[in-house]
């Protein structure tokens, strides 16, 4: 039997600070990486985007690896998250996806009736997401000697369903909720297909060398009240996390805007809970249980502020973590394009200086 990189990582305690924290082990300082750390705020990324479309960057392994590695080389962050997007797996299912400059993602053939769901395929990720899987292999090879892990990711079923039905980003999710409520059988078929595709993709990323996996549920918390979440979303999230458990790498459950039902969202699964910025870190951590590792939870907008305002906000997160094992410093959602590069650098340096033991 050939040992995969992911399997080898579980045979001994990891050296990586992030992977140690994800297992609740003691670390010599608080590890830090940032959501959307490889993105539009970096000059290197903007230069590439002038030459290549978003989908070209994602689908070309060498370019995706280059973007992934840029913030590691620039700031010395403790983990790399592969450069991609949550939406490309929809293409393999039969959706027409494009990223419109200045306007965001667009689905050219959104779901409008139950029959549209039945026409969707569930092809294997090795066929439809080969570029991202190869990018993971390239990044793993580059960062392995530095003990910097690469993190893979995928979108949660509700979040992908919302894009598939709305045709893009939505403010009120009215089409999604109308379909969910009026076509419950088709909703179940849709989310079951999304679980199949996303579980396969996440497991393929682990086989390619990803040492942790993150599931993004970006919109369920923004769109749904607690009871609807428990009825229409939670069962499929539980199914996804159960399927991905066989990857033998830490799995991060990140749900945005679920403060009203954080405990229930966290209970869907995952080894680590990603926390947004809407609750203080200690309160949120207490709700999911201090025995469970967490990641977060600085408001990404804080990085737009001058250092005199940003520094105490960083310190507040660290103080609320209380020096406990199992905390990875991160932002509570992705960095925005206007983020000053120098603030990212100072944040990383400050966390190193303040938390080194």
């Amino acid at each position: 039997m050939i040992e995969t990189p992911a399997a080898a990582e579980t045979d001994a305690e990891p050296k990586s600070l992030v992977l140690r924290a994800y297992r609740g082990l003691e670390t010599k300082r608080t590890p830090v990486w940032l959501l959307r750390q490889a993105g539009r705020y970096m000059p290197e990324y903007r230069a590439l985007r002038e030459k290549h479309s978003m989908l070209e960057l994602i689908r070309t392994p060498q370019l995706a690896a280059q973007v992934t590695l840029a913030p590691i080389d620039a700031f010395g962050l403790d983990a790399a998250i592969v450069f991609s997007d949550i939406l490309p797996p929809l293409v393999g299912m039969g959706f027409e996806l494009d990223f419109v400059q200045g306007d965001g993602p667009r689905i050219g053939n959104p779901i409008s009736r139950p029959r549209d769901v039945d026409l969707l395929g569930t092809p294997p990720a090795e066929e439809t997401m080969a570029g991202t899987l190869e990018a993971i292999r390239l990044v793993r090879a580059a960062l392995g000697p530095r003990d910097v892990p690469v993190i893979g990711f995928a979108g949660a079923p509700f979040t992908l369903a919302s894009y598939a039905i709305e045709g893009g980003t939505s403010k009120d999710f009215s089409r999604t909720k109308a379909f969910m409520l009026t076509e419950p059988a088709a909703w179940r078929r849709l989310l079951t297909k999304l679980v199949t595709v996303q579980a396969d993709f996440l497991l393929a990323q682990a086989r390619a060398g990803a040492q942790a996996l993150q599931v993004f549920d970006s919109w369920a918390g923004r769109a749904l009240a607690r009871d609807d979440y428990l009825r229409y979303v939670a069962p499929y999230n539980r199914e996804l996390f159960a399927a991905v458990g066989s990857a033998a790498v830490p799995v991060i459950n990140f749900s945005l805007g679920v403060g009203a039902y954080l405990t229930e969202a966290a209970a869907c699964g995952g080894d680590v809970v990603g926390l947004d910025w809407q609750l203080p870190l200690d309160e949120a951590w207490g709700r999911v249980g201090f025995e469970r590792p967490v990641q977060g939870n600085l408001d990404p907008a804080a990085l737009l502020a001058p250092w005199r305002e940003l520094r105490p906000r960083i310190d507040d997160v660290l103080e609320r973590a209380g020096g406990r094992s199992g905390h990875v410093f991160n932002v509570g959602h992705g960095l925005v394009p206007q983020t000053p590069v120098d603030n990212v650098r100072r944040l990383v340096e400050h966390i190193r200086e303040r938390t080194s033991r």
Side-chain angles (χ1 to χ4, degrees):
M1 178 178 176
I2 298 175
E3 186 180 60
T4 65
E9 188 71 54
T10 64
D11 291 341
E13 282 194 4
K15 296 179 182 178
S16 155
L17 298 184
V18 167
L19 296 182
R20 289 183 64 83
Y22 285 164
R23 293 176 59 178
L25 301 174
E26 185 176 343
T27 56
K28 62 184 180 182
R29 60 171 172 80
T30 299
V32 53
W33 69 274
L34 304 170
L35 298 176
R36 289 190 194 149
Q37 64 188 23
R40 293 170 290 176
Y41 75 100
M42 294 194 74
E44 298 90 336
Y45 174 82
R46 291 197 295 270
L48 284 173
R49 278 291 275 122
E50 289 179 0
K51 301 176 183 178
H52 305 279
S53 71
M54 179 74 164
L55 286 173
E56 285 175 338
L57 287 181
I58 291 171
R59 291 169 174 169
T60 308
Q62 294 77 11
L63 293 177
Q66 182 180 342
V67 176
T68 302
L69 292 169
I72 308 302
D73 295 334
F75 312 117
L77 291 149
D78 294 312
I81 186 164
V82 64
F83 177 77
S84 186
D85 190 86
I86 62 171
L87 296 182
L90 293 179
V91 176
M93 299 179 73
F95 290 100
E96 301 166 2
L97 172 66
D98 192 16
F99 290 89
V100 180
Q101 190 79 15
D103 198 29
R106 285 286 177 267
I107 302 290
N109 56 334
I111 292 170
S112 61
R113 55 181 180 164
R115 176 168 167 73
D116 295 336
V117 174
D118 299 325
L119 295 175
L120 298 175
T122 57
E126 298 285 356
E127 295 179 7
T128 63
M129 296 299 296
T132 296
L133 299 178
E134 180 60 21
I136 289 173
R137 296 184 187 99
L138 294 174
V139 174
R140 178 72 187 270
L143 294 181
R146 296 158 63 175
D147 291 323
V148 176
V150 55
I151 300 171
F153 69 90
F158 178 90
T159 290
L160 290 186
S162 74
Y163 282 104
I165 296 169
E166 303 285 346
T169 305
S170 174
K171 293 182 179 180
D172 59 13
F173 303 93
S174 57
R175 293 180 181 176
T176 303
K177 291 193 280 187
F179 190 86
M180 179 183 79
L181 296 171
T182 60
E183 301 290 351
W187 177 260
R188 288 193 295 270
R189 296 196 300 275
L190 173 59
L191 266 66
T192 296
K193 286 189 174 186
L194 289 169
V195 168
T196 298
V197 169
Q198 296 303 79
D200 179 71
F201 181 36
L202 287 162
L203 291 170
Q205 290 180 75
R207 291 193 300 271
Q211 293 144 286
L213 302 168
Q214 178 153 304
V215 176
F216 286 86
D217 205 346
S218 302
W219 301 132
R222 297 283 184 92
L224 302 178
R226 177 180 176 275
D227 287 350
D228 281 341
Y229 177 87
L230 293 175
R231 180 176 178 181
Y232 294 103
V233 176
Y236 304 98
N237 283 1
R238 288 195 296 267
E239 186 179 346
L240 177 60
F241 284 112
V244 178
S246 63
V249 300
V251 179
I252 307 149
N253 176 349
F254 176 68
S255 297
L256 183 65
V258 295
Y261 42 87
L262 174 60
T263 302
E264 291 85 350
C268 289
D271 306 291
V272 182
V273 179
L275 301 172
D276 68 17
W277 69 94
Q278 296 178 5
L279 290 172
L281 180 73
D282 51 349
E283 180 180 343
W285 199 349
R287 289 194 192 182
V288 303
F290 287 114
E291 73 284 353
R292 195 168 178 186
V294 297
Q295 178 175 280
N297 70 334
L298 182 72
D299 183 347
L303 280 106
L304 303 177
W307 181 245
R308 65 179 182 275
E309 179 66 29
L310 173 58
R311 177 174 177 169
R313 290 172 180 255
I314 298 169
D315 289 341
D316 182 67
V317 173
L318 295 172
E319 288 165 8
R320 291 178 183 278
R324 299 179 186 88
S325 298
H327 175 231
V328 173
F329 192 101
N330 209 313
V331 282
H333 199 217
L335 297 181
V336 299
Q338 300 83 8
T339 302
V341 169
D342 192 54
N343 273 358
V344 176
R345 181 177 294 106
R346 295 184 76 174
L347 177 148
V348 175
E349 292 173 351
H350 181 66
I351 291 172
R352 283 205 190 106
E353 295 170 1
R354 182 181 170 98
T355 66
S356 295
R357 300 178 175 89

